[in-house]
Amino acid sequence: MDRVSAFDEPLKKLLGGATAKVMAEHLDLHTVGDLLHHYPRRYEERGRLTAMTDLPLDEHVTVVAQVADARVMAFNNGRGKRLEVTLTDGHGRLQLVFFGHGVHKPHKELLPGRRAMFAGKVSVFNRKMQLAHPTYQLLDAESTDEAGATEAVDAFAGRLLPIYPACKQLDSWRIAKAVDAVLPSAQEAVDPLPPALREGRGFTALPEALLKIHRPQTKADIAAAKDRLKWDEAFVLQVALARRRYADTQLPAVARRPVPGGLLDAFDAELPFTLTDGQLKVSKEIFDDLATEHPMHRLLQGEVGSGKTLVALRAMLAVVDAGGQAAMLAPTEVLAQQHHRSITEMMGELAEGGMLGGSDRGTKVVLLTGSMGMPARRRALLDLVTGEAGIVIGTHALIEDKVQFHELGLVVVDEQHRFGVEQRDALRSKGKQPPHLLVMTATPIPRTVAMTVFGDLETSVLDQLPAGRSPIASHVVPAKDKPHFLSRAWERVREEVENGHQAYVVCPRIGDDEDEAAGKKKGKKDAEQEGDKRPPLAVLDTAEQLAKGPLTGLRVEVLHGRMHPDDKDDVMRRFAAGQVDVLVATTVIEVGVNVPNATAMVIMDADRFGVSQLHQLRGRVGRGSAPGLCLLVSEAHEASPARARLSAVAATLDGFELSRIDLEERREGDVLGQAQSGVRSSLRVLSVIDDEEVIAAAREEAVKVVAADPDLEHLPELRLALDALLDKDREEYLDKG
């Protein structure tokens, strides 16, 4: 059998149909290679008793312990039997319970003094921790006398017992047995690391690393195996990304340099403030990229209000100066309209090129969205195809086939995570040559994630806030435990309005018939799985209750994604003009809405939002000279993870710190974009939270390897590993990225 096919062998052949079916359906493991890369989650030290003092409630656990006591109890007037077993590990006690026909076998086997491994879900009954109907495996079944028992325990002592990510249908030790069956194939592992790199860094050989991670003799074995396997994951991924970047450098693009005395200089001369050092530094990085003859691919990340739009606008003006057109792609119509408004305001007469009263150095700035009337749309399309409009701002309507550019030179994508890669790709294909690309995000991204998720983009960070931004105070409002806190929250909103300011109230749901229908369609089972005790609060209901109750007399209006675009725009205009006191909205306001007079925000059911999303929403207040206030309303229990998350948001305004918390909570998922590529995680031991040094070093090595051998002709093993990582879906994801 050749080296590749050993890993591609279906599990069915080695393990039998039933086990292979469970592995495929519940663990997504199909081949020998899949199972060999299904690494232990942790290791129990056999022979040492596992501490029971901190068992996690509602989680599946495996414990190694001794039976202290076992008794059969009758219930239901003697018609039912239950076996209660008490376990001890010398530190704590744990109750086991078996019912009905399940009593006989454990009653015979789980005798006092017996040691075994037990697996089950931890629950509480009568204020005692218990496992109901756990599966178990005796560790000392062969030994009958005390000396034999000691001998059996000694045989296990010091050995490390792998505990695998398991499922209800397949316990950890059954997976361990299956791994034993395929472990000989580890010798056939194809090593992706170039020999010079492997030797230079003193790594264990891959077959040995696989043996050590599954069947370690010592803790040092585990560490050596993890070091090696982390490197494989980081390196192969970084090679894939480095090859994308290399391929991009081979594409032709028109170099775009600002023209002295042109549009950019005229714009800078009119600016009523000086750019921050951060804005100047990032602008230089962008202008250097634009001046090259291959397409820029840059990610611009910065906190809400750090001035990303201004930096992007200066880049667009430089491209217009150099004879190109720039397109800005926004995720929603509200945001596209807002960008159009703020950019034309910033540019003043420079945005009226060719119009009466416009500057002779100016250009036209047009808006293109799906809901525009036909005459306005035709005019915008004509301005684009003739080149009259240097800048166009729009939604995905820009991507339609009908839209033609005279000479597209730069694409700016706002809030990357809201766009499919296909959309970004379609817009890029509208240039005669590939246009330069600038992706903006207000979601702070830890450096390691930027190197992986956005690894095909160079990164610029704006971490300075312009002068004049006010602090935002954030507080958690425990609505269930302390209802009077919620009443006080509405009083605070009134106080802000009385002082001449405005407020937002954010809800997770719109709340109309369509919502209801969607809820019914979802079905009872899904709702139970989500653990929703009640549906999330809705904009329409909340607005009505507030207008009739605690905010009577104030001008309360609603804003949500299902409104007609004209109505949305009308509400936003009136809110911006101060004609609305309180805007009750969905997260449609999360990105880009800028009303400096809005000082307070109340987020209802705040625990239903992610950490980064809460941070984004909060960034809508405190944008003027008055301080901001953000109240996170939640019914979550004080000791719950949801409340801990809200307290973390309330405790810091540092978006990068919060993005780490958000990442730790979600874990990595698939760094190649699970949502966008629909494939399972390629990361098994590498953590984009903890392994920054590994990722940075792997990126450096990957760049060297790809520069020397772009097609990996001399590294067939690496090419093979790359093919395995980049199955069709991921390859497409990277290609479009």
Side-chain angles (χ1 to χ4, degrees), residues 26 29 208 227 309 375 431 467 529 534 598 614 622 633 646 655 677 718 724:
H26 298 281
L29 305 174
E208 196 185 330
D227 283 351
T309 310
Q529 273 177 352
R534 60 163 173 74
L614 290 169
V633 180
L646 296 182
S677 69
L718 177 55

Side-chain angles (χ1 to χ4, degrees), residues 587-652:
T587 54
V588 73
I589 61 149
E590 177 186 349
V591 180
V593 173
N594 185 23
V595 180
N597 192 44
T599 52
M601 175 177 284
V602 181
I603 303 179
M604 306 304 290
D605 278 341
D607 46 279
R608 312 255 182 164
F609 298 97
V611 169
S612 292
Q613 199 172 27
L614 290 169
H615 181 59
Q616 286 283 333
L617 286 165
R618 171 171 62 185
R620 301 296 120 217
V621 295
R623 298 176 78 87
S625 52
L629 172 69
C630 178
L631 301 174
L632 306 166
V633 180
S634 168
E635 288 189 1
H637 189 270
E638 193 169 359
S640 67
R643 273 287 283 281
R645 197 171 72 218
L646 296 182
S647 301
V649 174
T652 180

Side-chain angles (χ1 to χ4, degrees), residues 42 44-45 47-56 61-69 85-96 113-118 129 139:
R42 59 191 175 86
E44 289 291 0
E45 291 188 45
R48 276 202 205 158
L49 296 165
T50 312
M52 289 180 183
T53 44
D54 51 3
L55 288 173
V61 296
T62 301
V63 295
V64 180
Q66 194 162 24
V67 177
D69 179 44
V85 179
T86 305
L87 301 181
T88 179
D89 67 351
H91 302 287
R93 289 183 163 239
L94 176 65
Q95 196 92 27
L96 308 181
R114 270 288 170 81
R115 293 170 46 69
M117 285 196 294
F118 301 89
M129 290 275 200
L139 291 180

Side-chain angles (χ1 to χ4, degrees), residues 36 60 85 107 162 184 248 279 281 329 564 579 701 704 707:
L36 284 173
H60 286 276
V85 179
H107 188 213
D248 289 335
Q279 285 173 324
K281 176 176 146 288
L329 202 52
H564 188 279
Q579 294 161 13
E701 294 282 6
K704 282 186 221 161

